[in-house]
Every structure is written in structure tokens, then in C-alpha cells.
Amino acid sequence: MSSNQLWIYDTTLRDGAQREGIALSIEDKLKIARKLDKMGVPFIEGGWPGANPKDVQFFWRLKETPLDYSEVVAFCSTRRPNRVASEDSLLQAILTAGTHWVAIFGKSWDLHVTEGLHTTLEENLAMIGDTLEYLRRQGRRVIYDAEHWFDGYKANRDYALQTLRTALEAGAEWLVLCDTNGGALPHEVTQIIEEVREALPQLQGRGENAPQLGIHTHNDGGTAVANAIAAVMAGAKMVQGTINGYGERCGNANLCTLIPNLQLKLGYDCVTPEQLARLTLTSRAVSEIVNLAPDDHAPFVGRSAFAHKGGIHVSAVAKNPLTYEHITPEVIGNRRRIVISDQSGLSNVLAKARSFGIDLEQDDQTCRQILAELKVLEKEGYQFEAAEASFELLMRSAIAQRPHRFHLKGFQVHCNASDVIESNALATIKVSVNGEDLLEVAEGNGPVSALDQALRKALVKFYPEIAEFYLTDYKVRILDSNSGTSAKTRVLVESSNGEQRWTTVGVSTNIIDASYQAVVEGIEYGLLLRSPLKTPVL
């Protein structure tokens, strides 16, 4: 193993799935595992087969169609107190999963031994040793997760170290030090790991089979990533974490932040450059699968991670991106974005046009027309920072490159307040396509849903690709709350075709009208993505 080699261990499917609001099906888990496999993640923790029947099926499914690169790891606790490992049903389930590697967690903190397990410190050591020896006899390679390590070490250093010695003697190939409560600070992590390496001579070995240290951090103190980096710099060779930092309470160390920091900033080998370029795509794909909106402001992979709004920033980045970007966004699969708002200058408009594949020059009068229209619309309540699709449509209108595929002639919506009726809204629309007038009716579980369904029903006959479009988010903002129910409303609608997301905006004193504006532009932009005018982007 090279001195710069790090082993990434992903626990999104187990620890990440413990986040409130995440519920993964077997198909969800399989999709995520294959995304991680393409990312070149060496270890993927698949779940706890003894505690969850769904996880058993997950491991069986992967036996039928194995991954190309990653090792799948089954997770379990040590045997229960006062039992024999070979007779513990939890360990039998681990063996049935059929993985080459297993991860076993045991207690490092004497408080958890006596208060949690209600057993003796000696029995806890026996549980660790008996479990690992049994699994090694069954031909399994073992990663030992020292749960609550840092709290346990601070409370009773000698006992915590003895749990690690026991695991090493029983055949553990990795000792992973876990900040389970997430309360450690980077300087503590550094000091404790240095002391562990000094106390355990076995960790000084350099051979291929020499045991190594790993790190597993939680984010309760907001330091999970910093703690993991501190551990690596102190000698840890395995880094455990989750995609997008998902996890119980405040989450786990975010691999989407850790991997580029470790590889691009510190020179460690985590994945290949080609695999690193899949990072942003993987982050957003996992967000889609777990049905959580991506964090636009996430480091490295967020939509806003390389977004520039101030005119001075935009002008400087156009000359040399290093002026306001710490890395080249393309190396992790992201891209630069120029944000448009009423604070924008000509440099923003020109840069934004280039990102859309539109050629404009600074002395082109069209630029000033677009900027003037932008400021007028934002004064009326439109906001294009979060609705880039609408701004591109506006820009293409100004240069006569906006295809007019359909024309709305009118709509009506009828709502039924009865709780008994599932579809409580009925929409009727009249739309013209290629000179042909169409009248369509559709039901929905609300007025916006009904309008959306009616429009799609009319247009899909002419544009079949619309069947792939769907709404992923809907936001309403009251712009002048003092006006009561006659207040002007801004609606942002996010749409997707399964590969890309785009956001459109509508403004009106009528919330239905504002919503419809955004929905119409969402469909129009989705069609534009398929046209020769547009090259699809992330």
C-alpha cells in the first residue's frame, strides 16, 4: 500500500439511512451501491443483515449481480453478553450475507459497557475477542469499529486501549476509531491517534497485511470533516463517511467534501481523476434516490459552490477563474455559474450568455436591453438567481432564439373542498399547437397539479418527451404581506427529466396564474433542452 493511499469506506446505506426522513427500498440501495461502485469507492457498507430483513435481501441481490469494483461489507455488533459467538443468531446472519469483509462494532467506553450492555468490562473484552476470532475462522476479513472511541479513551484510557489490543489479537485488519457522539475536536483527534499509534506497536508495521487505523466521525459539533482530515494527517488510512453527509442527528462526515479535500488539497490517492469527476453527479443522484433536495450551498458539489453574483467577481473570473475559485469545478464534475439579479452588470449578462452557448459582445445593444428588462422584472417581483431556466428563455427571446412550440389561450380551474374526493381540482385549458386549437381537461390533487396535468395531456401528443418531465419542487413566496390576500406572489417550480433539473419562475397577484407561468416555462425549457440550440448540462 502506497504511503499516500487512502481507503474510502461509504456507509450511506446503513449509517446514512438512519437520517430522519430517509427510507430506502431494496431497489434504492442497489441503485446507490452501483453509483458508488462507479465512483471507485473501495468499501460499501450494505447494512446489518441480522437486524433488518431488507438488508438480507440486498446482499442476496448483489450476489446475483456483483459490483465491478467495490467490496460490499456486512455490519454487525459483537456477540451478546454471556453467549458463544458460534451460537449467536446475529453472527449467523452476517455469515449468510456472504460478504468477504465484515464490520463489527464493539464498546470502547466503560460507561456503555456497564450502563448500556449491563455487563462487566472483562466480558466486553471476551465479546470482542470471541466474535472476531469466530469470524476469522469462518474465512471473513474483519474491520473493527471501536464505538464511542474518543469518549471512552478520555474516560478510561487503559481500558479503551485494551479493547483495541483484544481486537488486534483476534485478527482485526482495520481498527476504526469512531467519534460516535460527534463531540470531539480536531486537536483531540490528532493527539489521541498519535498516542494510540505509540501505544500499539502493531500499527507501525508497513507490510501489506499490517493492521491499519481508520476514522469514523459524526457531525454533532460541526467538525466531522475536520476531524476526519486531522485523523488522516495523524496516520489513519481508512476514512468512513456518507454521501452528502447523511446520517443520524447531525449526520456523518461528508465524503463529497472529504474526498476532494484529501485528494486535491493534501495529495492523497482516494479515487482516480476520472472517478473524481463523477463526484457531483453521484451526490445529486443519491439526493434524488433518497428524495431529499440537494444542498445548493454544499462545498464542491452544490449548485452554488462555484456561483458568482457580484459584478467585480464575475469580471475577475472571466479573466482568470483562480481569482475567486479554489479549484477548477470540472475536476469534481461541477460547473461555474454566473448568477443574474438586479445587482448584475453587463459582465454577468455576457458570462451567463456564454454558459448558455449564446455569443454576445459587450457593445451589442441586446446586452443592455436584456439587463434593462431584467431590472424591470425583478422590480415587479421576479427573481432569476434561482430560476436560471426562465432567464435563459428571456435571453433567447431577446435574440429571437426562443422556439414558440405552443400558445396558451386560456384556462379555468374548479376546486372541490371535500376531503372525501382524492382529486379535488379540475382544470380546463385551451392551447394552440401548430395552428391547431386543443381543449383538454384533467384532474389533480390541487389546482396546480390539475393545470400541469391538463397542459401535459394536450402537449404530449405533439411532444412525447414531455412524458418524462415531472415537478420536483414547488415554492411560494408572498412579496408584499401587508396586502393580505391580494398580495403579489412569486412561485418557483423545479422540474426534472430524470437527468437534469431546472427552475422557472412566475409572479402574479393570483397564485394560480403565477404557478401556471412557472409550469408553462418549465415545460418549454424541458423541450429546449432537447433542441439543437441547447447542450444539456448538469
Side-chain angles (χ1 to χ4, degrees):
M1 180 169 64
S2 119
S3 60
N4 283 335
Q5 178 69 53
L6 289 182
W7 300 90
I8 302 300
Y9 181 111
D10 181 276
T11 179
T12 305
L13 301 180
R14 201 271 308 171
D15 223 344
Q18 292 178 190
R19 168 173 165 152
E20 185 177 1
I22 290 182
L24 298 177
S25 68
I26 296 173
E27 292 302 325
D28 291 336
K29 296 186 69 164
L30 289 168
K31 288 177 185 176
I32 292 173
R34 299 202 184 282
K35 299 288 183 187
L36 296 172
D37 187 40
K38 288 183 179 179
M39 258 284 297
V41 173
F43 294 101
I44 300 173
E45 190 174 270
W48 187 338
N52 188 337
K54 185 172 26 179
D55 287 346
V56 175
Q57 296 178 50
F58 167 77
F59 287 110
W60 289 351
R61 289 280 297 274
L62 279 183
K63 283 183 185 178
E64 297 170 4
T65 53
L67 301 176
D68 294 326
Y69 175 84
S70 305
E71 289 276 3
V72 182
V73 183
F75 177 86
C76 187
S77 68
T78 57
R79 69 158 171 81
R80 286 166 282 197
N82 305 311
R83 299 199 182 186
V84 177
S86 59
E87 298 175 1
D88 195 311
S89 59
L90 290 177
L91 298 181
Q92 296 307 310
I94 282 287
L95 295 175
T96 303
T99 61
H100 190 47
W101 284 89
V102 296
I104 299 296
F105 75 90
K107 302 297 183 183
S108 305
W109 192 357
D110 54 6
L111 173 73
H112 268 261
V113 175
T114 57
E115 299 296 325
L117 294 178
H118 297 291
T119 191
T120 65
L121 301 186
E122 293 75 17
E123 174 61 12
N124 181 56
L125 295 176
M127 291 160 59
I128 296 169
D130 187 20
T131 300
L132 271 59
E133 287 172 359
Y134 172 68
L135 291 170
R136 288 307 304 262
R137 290 197 302 271
Q138 303 304 312
R140 301 303 191 266
R141 302 182 71 177
V142 179
I143 298 165
Y144 178 68
D145 283 1
E147 189 185 33
H148 291 284
W149 167 258
F150 294 93
D151 292 307
Y153 185 89
K154 286 184 278 188
N156 187 336
R157 177 183 186 275
D158 292 341
Y159 183 74
L161 286 171
Q162 188 56 40
T163 64
L164 294 188
R165 291 191 184 98
T166 301
L168 284 173
E169 291 166 2
E173 296 184 55
W174 288 96
L175 298 179
V176 180
L177 308 182
C178 304
D179 184 25
T180 311
N181 280 353
L185 294 174
H187 74 282
E188 295 177 305
V189 171
T190 298
Q191 179 183 339
I192 291 174
I193 287 184
E194 288 174 350
E195 293 176 5
V196 168
R197 287 169 58 81
E198 184 177 346
L200 302 178
Q202 304 97 312
L203 298 175
Q204 306 304 322
R206 296 187 178 275
E208 185 177 340
N209 297 321
Q212 299 286 341
L213 281 178
I215 186 69
H216 177 113
T217 56
H218 284 252
N219 202 40
D220 299 69
T223 57
V225 168
N227 286 345
I229 291 173
V232 169
M233 296 183 74
K237 291 296 183 182
M238 174 184 282
V239 179
Q240 297 194 357
T242 62
I243 295 298
N244 299 325
Y246 297 146
E248 197 165 19
R249 305 185 312 276
C250 304
N252 289 43
N254 188 344
L255 291 178
C256 296
T257 305
L258 269 171
I259 292 174
N261 269 318
L262 291 168
Q263 186 150 324
L264 300 176
K265 304 294 183 70
L266 295 174
Y268 290 99
D269 297 325
C270 301
V271 294
T272 68
E274 294 76 19
Q275 291 165 339
L276 184 62
R278 298 185 61 86
L279 185 67
T280 299
L281 182 65
T282 302
S283 166
R284 296 178 188 178
V286 172
S287 295
E288 185 78 27
I289 293 168
V290 304
N291 198 28
L292 289 175
D295 180 359
D296 285 347
H297 300 280
F300 293 100
V301 297
R303 279 184 79 246
S304 298
F306 300 93
H308 306 282
K309 177 176 176 179
I312 293 174
H313 290 212
V314 172
S315 178
V317 166
K319 296 168 186 170
N320 186 340
L322 289 176
T323 53
Y324 286 98
E325 292 177 353
H326 65 122
I327 66 164
T328 303
E330 287 75 15
V331 299
I332 43 89
N334 210 336
R335 66 184 181 97
R336 181 176 304 114
R337 288 176 55 242
I338 305 303
V339 178
I340 292 293
S341 76
D342 60 359
Q343 300 179 34
S344 300
L346 285 177
S347 56
N348 295 60
V349 174
L350 289 168
K352 200 67 186 170
R354 283 193 295 272
S355 74
F356 294 150
I358 297 171
D359 270 335
L360 287 176
E361 299 298 332
Q362 190 161 353
D363 56 358
D364 191 330
Q365 187 59 31
T366 305
C367 286
R368 300 184 185 280
Q369 291 173 359
I370 292 170
L371 188 58
E373 185 172 359
L374 167 68
K375 293 180 183 295
V376 169
L377 288 172
E378 291 224 342
K379 188 175 180 181
E380 292 179 9
Y382 286 83
Q383 184 186 69
F384 295 99
E385 285 185 40
E388 292 186 331
S390 284
F391 185 73
E392 182 172 351
L393 292 174
L394 182 154
M395 184 172 279
R396 290 191 182 277
S397 289
I399 61 172
Q401 281 190 7
R402 180 173 179 175
H404 294 285
R405 294 182 171 89
F406 58 90
H407 174 63
L408 177 67
K409 291 195 166 182
F411 66 84
Q412 289 183 331
V413 180
H414 173 75
C415 294
N416 190 317
S418 172
D419 292 332
V420 180
I421 301 175
E422 287 187 21
S423 297
N424 57 15
L426 180 72
T428 304
I429 70 158
K430 188 174 184 180
V431 63
S432 174
V433 184
N434 298 333
E436 180 181 345
D437 287 347
L438 300 170
L439 189 66
E440 283 292 354
V441 179
E443 292 180 317
N445 58 4
V448 178
S449 171
L451 283 168
D452 182 48
Q453 295 299 323
L455 183 60
R456 292 164 185 270
K457 191 174 176 182
L459 297 178
V460 75
K461 305 166 188 176
F462 297 89
Y463 308 109
E465 58 267 43
I466 286 177
E468 302 172 9
F469 303 168
Y470 56 95
L471 302 187
T472 57
D473 202 1
Y474 176 82
K475 297 185 178 76
V476 177
R477 173 76 183 273
I478 303 302
L479 300 179
D480 47 350
S481 56
N482 292 333
S483 300
T485 55
S486 62
K488 188 174 285 187
T489 303
R490 178 169 63 229
V491 171
L492 290 171
V493 168
E494 186 182 74
S495 306
S496 177
N497 57 12
E499 298 175 358
Q500 298 148 275
R501 291 173 180 257
W502 59 93
T503 304
T504 48
V505 62
V507 174
S508 175
T509 53
N510 183 330
I511 190 172
I512 305 299
D513 181 48
S515 302
Y516 199 64
Q517 290 176 38
V519 167
V520 168
E521 287 203 346
I523 291 176
E524 191 177 349
Y525 189 78
L527 293 172
L528 176 65
L529 285 174
R530 300 297 182 90
S531 77
L533 290 172
K534 185 73 179 169
T535 301
V537 294
L538 283 172

